[in-house]
Amino acid sequence: MSRKLSSTVPHAFASAVRSRTPSIARRHAHHAVALKDPSSSNYVPHDDHADRSLYSRRNISRAKPHLAAPLFPHPQHYALSDLERRIAELKEAPIGDLSPHATPSYSEHDLLSMYEDLLAIPSATQTAPVSVEHDPLPPKLVARDVLRATVEALYAHEGPSAISEDVQAQYAAAIAKLTEVLDVLESARADPDSPIGVAVLSQDQWLSLVSVCVEHNDGSAAESVLRLIKRSGMPVPLPALESTMSLYAKAGDVPSAERFLTTYVGPSPPEPLRDLHIKAHIRSLQPGTFPTAALSVLHDYESRGLAAPQQSYTRLVTTLFSIRSTVAEAQAWDLFSHMRYVAHPVPDAYMYTLMIGACASRVISVQPARALDLFAEMTVDKGLPPTGATYNAAIYACARSGEKAYVNEAFRLAKEMLDGHRDAYGSPAFVPDRHTFCALLEGAKRVGDLAKVRWILAEIVAEGLRATRGDVPSAVVVDETIMMHVFHAYAAYKPPFDRAATVLVDRQSADASTEAASAPSPATEPQPSQHPPQPQPQSQPQDASAHSADASPEHPQLPSAPPAPRFTAILPQSHAEVISEARALFARILHDSARAAPSAIFASADADLAASTMPHAFAHVVLTARVLNAFLSVHYVHALFDEGAALYRTLFAALAVDKNAWTHVEALERAARARKDDRRRALAFARDVWADARLVERAYTAMIRVLALTGNAREALQLVRAFFEHYPPSAVAPSPTSTSTSGGSAAAPFLSTKHPLLSTRTALQAARPLVRTLSPTEVPDGTVPPLLSFHELEALHHRLVALGDRAGVGYVKYVCMAYASALRRRKDAVLHAEPVLETQTEPVAGGEGAAAPGDEQEA
């Protein structure tokens, strides 16, 4: 094989191989064959192809001058010969002969301008998605000027004194004059059915006249102008129709809107008028009412082949989410899927943002995975640029899940939001706002990550300082919502030091061992201590008892700040340090908000805080019940029971803030979790709270548990009887034999019937959503009245069994079984409910004119 290969290589190529290294020879072997003159070689290859192998024929064809090509091993067409010649010339040309202008050069300014255009940030990225509202008519000032000129032209022969300065008088005079002119022109026509043929006004003048009428909410005058336009023979412009229709839609005047469509448009209105028709039905509803009529109009347009614009679906989905009921939210998700199936397959950025935010629902379970799927579909699959509101919605949905993996994903999205979209100068496209910080605080507090909460609070305060110096135009201020999240994070934080895990040593044996260890030996002498003795901190029980003794309902006292509050990089290591930091923050809030004189608020840190030069970073915090409940929750978790109870009695009275339902419920639940040594004091505290509490299920449950754990089983049993009489099982679901019970008649229609909009029957065409996102079993029932289960009465049941009270045990079992049976009947009735006929007007769980689902028994 080597002999045959060497015989096929020309002499010039062999000399090149010997004079250069093997690697360079292999690289340039092909060029040597291409550039060699065929006449300089005496070698004539054998032309018989029959006695050659495939390998030999391939090598010989490369060496043939008349068959080989520089780049192609096989003969090519003549069209490629010019290309081969040009490539050979480029290879022969020396490098120094190349023109110095072959490589373009750019200055720093040119490069910066180029990258500035490439990385330019759209103007609408940071702001929220554009609203669906728009004004089709000219601006108000322009319309008034055009109206003034029109009136002057119409009354040119009567002098300027006949023109009033009042705008309403001007358009009324214009309408009256135009009516006279058209009457004269119509009477002069030879054929009554023929058009006038004379342009009375231009289209801009007609639109300005309509715009002024709409500006003054004069629908009758606007319709008069439209009638004049039709009489003049001109087609009525769509902006004029849209503006007049919007006047009725904003007012929620459904009869006038439908009469207007019938008179001026007909049965097939254009898209803007369909949207305004649906908007009129939505505006006519009371807050919290299911939009049954609006949904019926939407599906009626779909059945006629007139799909409503995407703004109409956005309006309805927003209305359904605002009701805050499980039925309405499930209907909103179904309508979103139905819209993509029948009308608009690709939603816009506003709709995507709305649905991503709905994944953080407070009614249905949080859906972080769906939020991330929608975000990826919007940005990756559909190629829609995300907005600041879109990032905030995705971050909040992940943060509200409370799962550490999704909370980390929320922080990753926040980092992408800040660093993933920058211009040529490094400025971010999205600046974190209040919604961004609140969403991150929501996630950090749910996983108990106090380090991130402190870091976020420090960033907000630092941004406020930069805004004070003028470095940034605006900044996020610390408000009550942010401080509520911060205090919740302190309550959820678990310090590493656990007092229960501390090994207790007998004092006498410890002193004896210490003396034995410290006794000097004969060979050594005692050495003086290098560190002076440190004072021991005062015990927490003594502080709590002292504070409890001083505070009373007659003389309320606010919590004082610690002697020297310091926020170090190290997290609090004990419960006492957590309480100290929370008190320092609350004292700073009171100082900055100037709720009271500093001498009356700060026991030992008033001088330090008064002399501090730090700006009032917490001056915008409004002390509400939510903030005080969050501050109390820190003491409920980390402080002794007496300290939390004393703070509950004095805090609201000292700050003149009214308590809400959550204040009583959280206090009762803290009393229900009291240790065995504190149960007597917890009972007294629970009685005080119960005197102010409202009749809610969680308050009843907590009070029953407190009474049962403190040995007051009889009183707890009486409380169960009172709850059973106030909320009977018939309110949950009527029994088959009961016809008139408390709440039974109101619940029966809803349980036994279903509106056609909620039907799950498979159909290809119907006046309802054809695609269901959630099945009936996945939609929780938000209208269930308060009830008691065995889990809530388990402590009372055990206490009655220990006392041998068979009658009490039997009554508790009866109550639990009655509520369980009613709940089972309710579930079966809801799952087997059939849609009513379309001729019936049954509301959808509180439809038009009724309350929204879930409003009957609000806990």
Side-chain angles (χ1 to χ4, degrees), residues 329 358-368 400 778 780:
E329 288 209 5
C359 294
S361 170
R362 297 179 180 272
V363 180
I364 303 179
S365 59
V366 184
Q367 309 173 74
R400 265 193 55 81
E778 295 175 337

Side-chain angles (χ1 to χ4, degrees), residues 629-676:
N629 291 341
F631 180 65
L632 274 174
S633 65
V634 182
H635 293 76
Y636 289 157
V637 176
H638 298 286
L640 297 180
F641 178 81
D642 292 339
E643 187 174 358
L647 198 60
Y648 170 85
R649 293 187 179 99
T650 59
L651 186 62
F652 289 88
L655 296 174
V657 178
D658 296 332
K659 302 174 183 177
N660 58 9
W662 283 107
T663 308
H664 307 297
V665 171
E666 291 177 357
L668 288 173
E669 290 180 347
R670 175 63 183 94
R673 298 192 307 268
R675 295 180 300 180
K676 189 173 183 180

Side-chain angles (χ1 to χ4, degrees), residues 241-292:
L241 294 173
E242 187 177 349
S243 179
T244 309
M245 182 68 181
S246 65
L247 184 64
Y248 300 129
K250 291 179 181 178
D253 191 355
V254 177
S256 298
E258 294 181 346
R259 176 188 53 80
F260 179 82
L261 290 176
T262 305
T263 305
Y264 297 98
V265 181
S268 301
E271 279 194 357
L273 298 184
R274 293 177 225 155
D275 177 54
L276 293 174
H277 187 194
I278 297 173
K279 178 182 176 181
H281 281 277
I282 295 176
R283 288 294 185 93
S284 65
L285 301 177
Q286 295 294 329
T289 306
F290 199 92
T292 309

Side-chain angles (χ1 to χ4, degrees), residues 193 345 590 772 820:
D193 298 332
L590 295 178
R772 293 291 180 186

Side-chain angles (χ1 to χ4, degrees), residues 324-328 330 363-364 731-733 747 750-751 775-787 822-831 845 853-857:
R324 292 295 183 89
S325 71
T326 56
V327 177
V363 180
I364 303 179
V732 179
F750 167 65
L751 296 178
S775 64
T777 57
E778 295 175 337
V779 180
D781 191 354
T783 62
V784 180
L787 53 87
L823 196 61
R824 184 169 57 252
R825 291 196 308 270
R826 182 185 184 91
K827 180 179 179 181
D828 294 341
V830 171
L831 292 179
D855 292 344
E856 300 94 350
Q857 301 290 344

Side-chain angles (χ1 to χ4, degrees), residues 552-632:
S552 63
E554 293 79 8
H555 302 85
Q557 294 183 0
L558 293 177
S560 60
R566 294 292 183 268
F567 292 88
T568 61
I570 302 176
L571 294 177
Q573 300 298 304
S574 63
H575 295 283
E577 293 182 5
V578 174
I579 294 294
S580 176
E581 283 196 10
R583 283 176 172 270
L585 285 174
F586 192 77
R588 187 74 203 191
I589 293 173
L590 295 178
H591 178 268
D592 292 350
S593 59
R595 295 285 297 191
S599 59
I601 298 177
F602 306 106
S604 57
D606 53 349
D608 296 338
L609 291 173
S612 176
T613 59
M614 179 180 177
H616 292 183
F618 302 93
H620 299 277
V621 178
V622 180
L623 293 177
T624 60
R626 295 197 308 166
V627 178
L628 300 186
N629 291 341
F631 180 65
L632 274 174

Side-chain angles (χ1 to χ4, degrees), residues 533-856:
Q534 299 293 335
Q536 298 294 330
Q538 193 175 5
S539 63
Q540 182 72 14
Q542 293 179 3
D543 295 341
S545 61
H547 184 79
S548 306
D550 297 337
S552 63
E554 293 79 8
H555 302 85
Q557 294 183 0
L558 293 177
S560 60
R566 294 292 183 268
F567 292 88
T568 61
I570 302 176
L571 294 177
Q573 300 298 304
S574 63
H575 295 283
E577 293 182 5
V578 174
I579 294 294
S580 176
E581 283 196 10
R583 283 176 172 270
L585 285 174
F586 192 77
R588 187 74 203 191
I589 293 173
L590 295 178
H591 178 268
D592 292 350
S593 59
R595 295 285 297 191
S599 59
I601 298 177
F602 306 106
S604 57
D606 53 349
D608 296 338
L609 291 173
S612 176
T613 59
M614 179 180 177
H616 292 183
F618 302 93
H620 299 277
V621 178
V622 180
L623 293 177
T624 60
R626 295 197 308 166
V627 178
L628 300 186
N629 291 341
F631 180 65
L632 274 174
S633 65
V634 182
H635 293 76
Y636 289 157
V637 176
H638 298 286
L640 297 180
F641 178 81
D642 292 339
E643 187 174 358
L647 198 60
Y648 170 85
R649 293 187 179 99
T650 59
L651 186 62
F652 289 88
L655 296 174
V657 178
D658 296 332
K659 302 174 183 177
N660 58 9
W662 283 107
T663 308
H664 307 297
V665 171
E666 291 177 357
L668 288 173
E669 290 180 347
R670 175 63 183 94
R673 298 192 307 268
R675 295 180 300 180
K676 189 173 183 180
D677 299 340
D678 299 331
R679 285 179 182 174
R680 291 297 178 183
R681 295 188 299 272
L683 176 60
F685 174 66
R687 292 184 187 277
D688 296 340
V689 176
W690 182 253
D692 300 331
R694 300 295 181 264
L695 301 178
V696 292
E697 179 179 338
R698 290 180 61 175
Y700 265 99
T701 303
M703 190 63 187
I704 291 171
R705 179 178 176 83
V706 171
L707 293 174
L709 293 177
T710 55
N712 298 274
R714 300 294 181 184
E715 189 175 354
L717 196 60
Q718 294 177 1
L719 202 58
V720 174
R721 294 181 185 274
F723 183 91
F724 189 80
E725 293 175 359
H726 198 276
Y727 301 106
S730 58
V732 179
S735 60
T737 57
S738 64
T739 56
S740 61
T741 57
S742 176
S745 59
F750 167 65
L751 296 178
S752 58
T753 59
K754 182 190 296 184
H755 196 274
L757 289 174
L758 305 178
S759 176
T760 56
R761 185 185 298 274
T762 303
L764 296 179
Q765 184 177 2
R768 59 176 176 82
L770 303 180
V771 182
R772 293 291 180 186
T773 305
L774 300 175
S775 64
T777 57
E778 295 175 337
V779 180
D781 191 354
T783 62
V784 180
L787 53 87
L788 294 175
S789 62
F790 182 77
H791 175 72
E792 297 163 340
L793 301 179
E794 186 176 4
L796 177 59
H797 180 269
H798 292 338
R799 179 65 65 180
L800 293 174
V801 170
L803 294 176
D805 189 352
R806 294 187 177 182
V809 172
Y811 182 74
V812 170
K813 288 184 177 181
Y814 164 72
V815 170
C816 296
M817 293 302 295
Y819 281 118
S821 177
L823 196 61
R824 184 169 57 252
R825 291 196 308 270
R826 182 185 184 91
K827 180 179 179 181
D828 294 341
V830 171
L831 292 179
H832 295 87
E834 297 180 356
V836 296
L837 299 178
E838 295 183 358
T839 56
Q840 301 180 9
T841 58
E842 189 67 34
V844 183
E848 291 186 289
D855 292 344
E856 300 94 350

